[in-house]
Amino acid sequence: MLALFIFGCQSIAEIKEKDHKITSKPNIVFVIADQLRSHELSSYGGVNIQTPNLDRLAEEGVRMTNAVSTYPICSPFRGMLITGLYPLHSGISNNDHPLNPDLPSFAKACKEVGYNTAFIGKWHLDGIGRTSYIPPERRLGYDYWQALECTHDYFNSPYYDNNSKELEFWEGYDAEAQTKSAQSYIENRDKEKPFFLTLSWGPPHDPYIAPDEYRDKIIAENLVLRKNITEHEIVDELQNNPRFKIPDKFIKSFSGLRKLAKDKQMIKERYAGYLASILALDDYFGNLMKTLQKEGILDNTIVVFTSDHGDHLGSHQFYGKNTPFSESISIPFLLRYPKALKAKTVSDALLSPIDMLPTVLGLANLKHSKVDGIDLSNIIKKEQDDTRDAILLMNLTHFNGTSLINGLDTYRGIQTKQFTYARYEDKSPWLLYDNLKDPYQMNNLVGNLSYSKLIKRLDIKLDELLKQAGDPEKTKLIYDRIIKENPKRQLLLDLRNTNPNKF
């Protein structure tokens, strides 16, 4: 049975306060799922499952309808969230690369004004090894620490407990155990100080597994797949006319995964596990909210829920993520803070990961170092006009699984409230979709002469954004820097050897 949280029914004055006073600064609880596309939450129009706890968060706060993962893979998103900087300013231009620990960060900004800081779950910003110990000086301002760089073994999930260098293991399904740990942290916190807590789950990222009690709720045969599940023009073009060569040792395994993305029955089976994971997360989120209410601090806490990127799950017959399609880039972003945000607010403001730090700290009236993102808090509150017309999209490298599986070349693009546009490094247009007329992105307008003037305008805007992001659109320069920092990056070396004139 789903553990619905109940808040909004009682004011803070009606809740018996523990024998401590509420701090004047708001607490901040930031919850991140991994690979959860916005389309699955019922508050975003999902039809296969109900997510009542996250829906209640949207009902009691703000739902952002244009939250976009600028670079839709794990580490670049997390680098943007933690620092407010574009990937080429933070150095996180690909997965499994270390973030400079001297950079300003979300946690450091909170810590400087008296907050306790805590991180629980998946980090994926250290890049030294997915199970390696991460020392305090590389935690970007987080003090309390129960984390691991990265694992997707959710029922045998290791982590490091604060400064112990011995691996511990979460009991059972790691997202549930991590949530219980977050609840315990809240209950046992220093009640004289505000806190900034980040809870970072691994699911619903593949292998799409969840406890049986949730998996049993989903019947794969009954699932409604997205309408673009049969559209394959773009992926076929990439595979039939490849823009780069995949190293020979990967071809066999990757070709099998390409076939999987075209197998409707296999997609439904994986989709069922994906949705079961989301049901579990929704339940755990409800438990977390109940703890905040029980502690009497819910209304003095900024609660945020989001995800690092989405998942194609067969849409456009792509495998994974990292594309500019909505299944890959459209993420949920929900906020609750009744002291500043009206309930049932829906905002169509364009939101990039670089904006999350300044926006949340703006809501809390906290200062921070200069970042690339902008503070959208007054726009969300309807106190300031929304003037931003586009945000950046990018894929800077080839050496991640989904780029190699799909034959996806590097690209840059922009998202407006109406259009998605992407071009290749040689400036040739690749994709253009009118998302208002074509919400499933099945009609690529590149090549349609009626849109040639629009493409020119979008190119000008894209050039402007790339300049702000410090991106010269030169893969070779990015690869040179990565190799200099990490000479043993074997997959990159393999790609360069296979494509000597390209990279």
Side-chain angles (χ1 to χ4, degrees), residues 254-269:
F254 287 159
S255 64
L257 292 171
R258 286 179 180 177
K259 292 177 181 177
L260 185 151
K262 299 174 182 287
D263 185 331
K264 188 176 290 188
Q265 184 56 42
M266 186 63 70
I267 290 167
K268 283 192 171 185
E269 289 296 327

Side-chain angles (χ1 to χ4, degrees), residues 183-240:
Q183 292 173 264
S184 178
Y185 174 83
I186 293 167
E187 291 167 342
N188 297 297
R189 72 194 186 282
D190 176 357
K191 295 177 173 60
E192 295 300 315
K193 298 178 70 174
F195 66 89
F196 170 46
L197 166 65
T198 301
L199 174 59
S200 177
W201 291 318
H205 190 291
D206 53 286
Y208 311 120
I209 53 176
D212 290 344
E213 64 182 292
Y214 297 101
R215 183 61 182 83
D216 291 346
K217 295 176 185 290
I218 309 293
I219 301 173
E221 287 301 321
N222 295 344
L223 295 178
V224 178
L225 300 178
R226 287 179 64 77
K227 293 179 181 179
N228 52 24
I229 206 78
T230 58
E231 195 280 310
H232 54 85
E233 177 184 353
I234 304 300
V235 75
D236 283 355
E237 175 63 23
L238 291 175
Q239 293 169 9
N240 294 334

Side-chain angles (χ1 to χ4, degrees), residues 284-313:
Y284 307 151
F285 186 82
N287 292 335
L288 182 68
M289 297 300 285
K290 287 172 70 175
T291 296
L292 290 171
Q293 180 167 320
K294 178 172 66 72
E295 288 292 301
I297 58 174
L298 179 60
D299 283 355
N300 194 48
T301 300
I302 298 172
V303 180
V304 184
F305 176 80
T306 192
S307 175
D308 53 359
H309 50 75
D311 191 331
H312 269 268
L313 287 160

Side-chain angles (χ1 to χ4, degrees), residues 23 93 120 145 166 170 209 213 226 242 259 392 453 499:
T23 176
S93 54
I120 299 172
W145 183 261
E166 298 297 319
W170 296 110
I209 53 176
E213 64 182 292
R226 287 179 64 77
K259 292 177 181 177
L392 195 58
K453 290 183 179 179
N499 299 269

